[in-house]
Amino acid sequence: MGMNTELIQPDRGQDATSIHLVNADGFDTFAKGLSGPQRAALAAQKFTGKGYQVGIVPAKDAKDDGWFAVGGVANPEELSSWCLAKLAESLPAGTYRLDGRDPGPALHGWQTAQYVFDRYKSDPDAEGPRVLLTEKAGRIDAAMFEARAECLVRDLINTPAEDMGPAGLEAEAERIAKAHGGKLNVVRGDALEQGFPMVHAVGRAAARHHAPRLIEVEWGKESAPRVAIVGKGVCFDSGGLDVKSAAGMKLMKKDMGGAAHALALAEWIMASELPVRLHLVVPAVENAISSNAFRPGDVLQTRKGLTVEIGNTDAEGRLILGDALTLASEHDPELIVDFATLTGAARVALGPDFPALMTRRDETADALIAAGRANDDEPWRLPLPEAYVEYLASDIADTNNAQSNPYAGASVAGLFLDKFVGDGVEWAHFDTFGWRPFPKPGRPKGGAAYGLRATYHMLKGRFS
């Protein structure tokens, strides 16, 4: 499960197979420097220098250990995160060195391409590691922390709900806190019912070993700028009494994808020793169906004091986030960022690859989008229009949790959350898919991180 952590090593002149990068425009020039048999070998592999092509070329002499590799990229002079990912997936186990340049940002895809989720396989594929050398040894730790965070998101989401319930998320938070000197606090039982009524209401129908809880970790110097990271931890979503279809339920082990992002980001911040006072908040529940499940038409109390009429029990992620965002706001943070697999509407609008981003301030969105673009993890901003707040009106309570029309579902969910964020608090909300339906090099089908790297690099730029 996960990723081998030794996939990048310092280049000390050790034996390694060369990788030459070329694009379609430069291929003819590159081919002129090859022998006839070498050109024939590439022609037989249909290698033309297009992106993500991989070729094996017999060496003219034995110094390359009999062969070298070529990889097709869009621009050999300016690599992206994913330029070497297909090579890392396709090449045999061994040690490799890029010819004439450093991998730079492509260190990321080299590592994430070798991620495998084999926890439940009785005969896991035993392909050995493909190790890449870099002359910039000082960058190795940062690149490894980054890939490890991405792969932790995948591991947590890919794990089925029975093995990744609220207790599983708590265990992960405990591991992270212990490893990095954070302080863990978990609220459950009567204290949860009193202090976080919506978290309790959504989770109360689950079996005892999946009982709801509010997980928080504090880390960092008290004097450092306070940053709250909040993640939706619905470990499985049946839809509650407004039950989902079989098709709608099939992927619902991923409904804790927001919590997975929050946990991975928290560990990345701690491992990198970013100078912030971190407050991680994960409301963890299973939205189950039982005789004590919360009902459509019920009115819930909230930590904030607002009352919420339940228009739909399948709009439950926003309920647990409401109480969590209230808690985060009570500590007067400089910034709150939440991650949630919140609405189908965001996926219809943006597809799987772009997480929907909603913020109160233009500057927050601009910084996250710029950091995302620079790190191949671009979010897409959706509005939080005051005009749509009326879609959440209730006849008998302060607000409804669901709208009765089909319009702007992602933004309306964001507007619901906005009611629970403290006045004047800077806040960013990611409505992310947490899942990759179609594989790409370095990004296998399954659990996936979106907006994670954008957020980390924005925080690093702002607070370090």
Side-chain angles (χ1 to χ4, degrees):
M1 198 163 83
M3 183 198 77
N4 188 315
T5 56
E6 305 302 319
L7 300 177
I8 316 171
Q9 290 177 13
D11 193 338
R12 302 193 175 98
Q14 61 268 57
D15 287 345
T17 302
S18 291
I19 298 173
H20 298 256
L21 298 181
V22 62
N23 62 5
D25 291 343
F27 178 67
D28 288 345
T29 306
F30 172 75
K32 282 178 186 156
L34 301 177
S35 68
Q38 287 175 323
R39 283 195 294 273
L42 282 178
Q45 294 167 74
K46 298 189 170 69
F47 186 93
T48 60
K50 285 183 182 165
Y52 295 137
Q53 288 186 334
V54 175
I56 302 290
V57 184
K60 285 179 183 169
D61 56 45
K63 81 174 170 57
D64 258 323
D65 202 22
W67 63 279
F68 62 88
V70 286
V73 295
N75 179 359
E77 301 308 311
E78 199 173 317
L79 301 184
S80 79
S81 298
W82 313 113
C83 282
L84 302 182
K86 189 67 183 173
L87 287 151
E89 286 174 4
S90 306
L91 293 173
T95 301
Y96 295 88
R97 173 187 289 116
L98 273 196
D99 182 67
R101 61 154 303 140
D102 192 74
L107 288 171
H108 186 69
W110 182 272
Q111 297 174 87
T112 60
Q114 298 182 58
Y115 170 88
V116 180
F117 185 73
D118 55 14
R119 173 171 174 172
Y120 300 97
K121 296 219 168 180
S122 51
D123 187 18
D125 181 14
E127 176 69 53
R130 282 74 79 199
V131 174
L132 187 63
L133 303 179
T134 173
E135 292 178 354
K136 298 187 175 171
R139 284 192 183 170
I140 291 177
D141 278 355
M144 277 172 39
F145 293 154
E146 188 152 359
R148 206 176 292 162
E150 178 121 4
C151 292
L152 178 58
V153 173
R154 296 177 186 180
D155 271 347
L156 296 178
I157 293 173
N158 286 333
T159 304
E162 184 60 16
D163 294 333
M164 191 51 66
L169 292 179
E170 179 183 332
E172 199 58 34
E174 185 176 14
R175 176 192 69 76
I176 291 166
K178 274 186 177 163
H180 301 284
K183 183 168 175 264
L184 174 73
N185 179 48
V186 182
V187 183
R188 49 168 71 84
D190 290 345
L192 185 74
E193 187 172 357
Q194 297 301 313
F196 302 91
M198 290 198 288
V199 181
H200 170 263
V202 172
R204 72 192 186 201
R208 182 181 289 181
H209 66 293
H210 290 315
R213 62 207 71 190
L214 187 289
I215 303 159
E216 58 178 337
V217 175
E218 295 250 10
W219 173 89
K221 288 184 180 163
E222 300 257 6
S223 57
R226 191 174 183 90
V227 174
I229 307 293
V230 179
K232 171 186 166 184
V234 176
C235 297
F236 188 80
D237 184 16
S238 66
L241 292 176
D242 288 314
V243 62
K244 291 179 184 284
S245 66
M249 227 183 282
K250 191 172 179 187
L251 273 185
M252 281 302 104
K253 70 174 184 180
K254 79 164 185 67
D255 213 19
M256 37 56 71
H261 282 71
L263 287 158
L265 178 59
E267 181 165 41
W268 187 4
I269 287 168
M270 294 177 194
S272 315
E273 298 182 346
L274 219 58
V276 296
R277 176 66 175 174
L278 179 67
H279 187 201
L280 169 71
V281 185
V282 173
V285 301
E286 179 182 355
N287 188 22
I289 301 171
S290 183
S291 59
N292 66 332
F294 76 120
R295 309 165 193 82
D298 281 356
V299 174
L300 302 188
Q301 300 297 321
T302 69
R303 184 176 182 86
K304 178 124 186 185
L306 295 172
T307 53
V308 180
E309 182 184 8
I310 302 306
N312 192 317
T313 63
D314 194 22
E316 84 299 327
R318 64 195 68 180
L319 299 173
I320 67 168
L321 283 170
D323 278 349
L325 289 166
T326 301
L327 173 70
S329 300
E330 286 164 9
H331 296 274
D332 200 23
E334 292 210 11
L335 174 67
I336 299 176
V337 182
D338 83 72
F339 295 87
T341 52
L342 209 61
T343 68
R347 303 290 67 80
V348 172
L350 301 177
D353 284 19
F354 293 93
L357 169 66
M358 285 156 255
T359 67
R360 286 177 163 182
R361 299 178 190 168
D362 294 344
E363 297 82 1
T364 318
D366 293 346
L368 284 163
I369 291 166
R373 276 192 188 139
N375 293 280
D376 304 305
D377 182 30
E378 186 179 352
W380 202 271
R381 190 180 185 189
L382 294 182
L384 285 171
E386 195 65 32
Y388 296 162
V389 174
E390 64 191 40
Y391 293 177
L392 291 166
S394 163
D395 291 335
I396 63 168
D398 294 325
T399 184
N400 204 299
N401 78 320
Q403 62 201 93
S404 56
N405 67 52
Y407 305 121
S411 288
V412 175
L415 288 165
F416 180 88
L417 298 181
D418 184 72
K419 294 171 184 284
F420 296 91
V421 179
D423 292 344
V425 174
E426 186 179 354
W427 167 61
H429 160 56
F430 281 98
D431 187 335
T432 181
F433 195 33
W435 190 263
R436 182 166 289 283
F438 319 111
K440 293 182 177 182
R443 293 149 288 176
K445 180 181 174 182
Y450 299 100
L452 176 79
R453 299 168 70 215
T455 305
Y456 174 83
H457 288 287
M458 184 278 277
L459 293 174
K460 185 180 176 199
R462 176 164 165 177
F463 293 110
S464 67

